[in-house]
Each structure stands twice: as C-alpha cells, then as structure tokens.
Amino acid sequence: MVELVVLLDSDNNPIGHADKQHVHTTDTQLHLAFSCYLYNDKGELLITRRALEKRTWPGVWTNSFCGHPAPGESFDAAIARRAQVELGTKVADVITILPSFSYRAVDASGIVEYEFCPVHAARIDAPLEPNPTEVMDYAWVDPAALAHSARSMPELLSPWMVEQIEQITQQLPQDHSGVAIPSALRALAGM
C-alpha cells in the first residue's frame, strides 16, 4: 500500500505529494508530519521505543507516536489513524502545543528527516495494543523525569523529541495562557 506524504516549499506551503518510501533518503525534501504525546489520567506521558525494522532511528526512544497527514487529511484525522496503526488505541482531547515546530536531523545511516511537524498532545482513550513493526517497547513516564532525561542524556532519545521538549519547556507557559493544559504537559514544561 502506497502511503503519500505532502511535500512543502520553504514557507511550509503544499507543493505536491510523494510516496513516503521515496521521500526519506539522504536528500529528504521538506514535508508535512506531526508528533503526538499521549497522557493518561495519572498525569504520565507515553514514550515509545521505535521498532528495529524502522528505517530511521531504529530502537530509539521517542514521543508516543508520529506520522504524516495524507493529502487533504486533517491533523486530527491523521492523529486518530496513526494512534490506531502504531499503538492500537484511540485518542481524545487533541490539542496543538507547538504549531510551528520543524526540524532536520540525520540518522547514523545517513537518512535525513526534514519535516514541518506540528506537535500535539492527546488523552489516551482505549487500551494499548502496540504494533510490533512500529513499536518494540513503551513506558508511561513522569513528565519531569522525561524533561530531565532530555537535558542530561539526549543521545538516548530521538532528536526531534529532545528539540520538542526544549521548546515545550520554553514556550508552553507563554503561548497557552488561559488554555486548559493537561497536568502531564504542565509538568513537562515545569509549570
């Protein structure tokens, strides 16, 4: 099955689409993606360890899940779809926490991730049934401990998650005043 990703220009405007398998190379074109952090009623965040079969950053701990909206697909629909595909779960109460996040990172194999990747958070709304081709392990973690790990041991985590946590810590308290922020995100941001 062909999975299409939305290609972007330098201003993050759509300029076409391409097969995901042909986009992630040593010369990856900027494209649309998203990251999502799941939290539970205990105030914990879900982190996942990428399956060894993943093309980039195999075996690395990262945020709950990521994905690429298909052409014409909303972020909410893409988040719901990828939550089911990667984690076998459902989500609720999706909020955008870093609407302008983007990054470029090079894997040890030379494969480049180059994405405009708004960051979202959602409450888990069904049991987890991780897909082993996507996720080899997972853990519910204390948000403050995760923020500490991102600062003290960034090499153990995906580069995008390290950058996201840094931006969440700096921007969340200022950018979301008056918005109901889940306790897990407040703890991650040190609020």
Side-chain angles (χ1 to χ4, degrees), residues 42-105:
K42 297 177 185 176
E44 299 167 316
L45 290 174
L46 179 71
I47 60 171
T48 59
R49 188 168 178 208
R50 293 169 63 85
L52 295 178
E53 295 85 14
K54 298 290 276 184
R55 187 168 183 187
T56 58
W57 284 273
V60 173
W61 285 96
T62 193
N63 57 290
S64 305
F65 64 99
C66 299
H68 302 87
E73 183 180 34
S74 70
F75 280 113
D76 284 353
I79 290 166
R81 175 176 54 81
R82 289 305 299 176
Q84 185 62 49
V85 168
E86 290 193 32
L87 297 170
T89 194
K90 295 180 181 181
V91 299
D93 305 326
V94 177
I95 61 171
T96 305
I97 55 176
L98 293 175
S100 301
F101 181 78
S102 63
Y103 74 99
R104 185 179 187 282

Side-chain angles (χ1 to χ4, degrees), residues 101-173:
F101 181 78
S102 63
Y103 74 99
R104 185 179 187 282
V106 183
D107 181 87
S109 69
I111 301 293
V112 176
E113 289 278 6
Y114 185 30
E115 299 178 334
F116 175 69
C117 184
V119 179
H120 305 270
R123 181 176 51 81
I124 190 165
D125 201 30
L128 286 171
E129 295 181 31
N131 178 342
T133 65
E134 297 284 344
V135 175
M136 68 182 294
D137 201 1
Y138 68 91
W140 287 101
V141 298
D142 174 75
L146 179 60
H148 175 74
S149 295
R151 287 189 304 274
S152 62
M153 299 176 288
E155 65 280 357
L156 300 180
L157 307 172
S158 70
W160 59 88
M161 185 168 75
V162 172
E163 286 185 43
Q164 290 167 358
I165 290 172
E166 180 180 339
Q167 288 187 26
I168 289 167
T169 301
Q170 294 172 358
Q171 297 176 18
L172 193 64

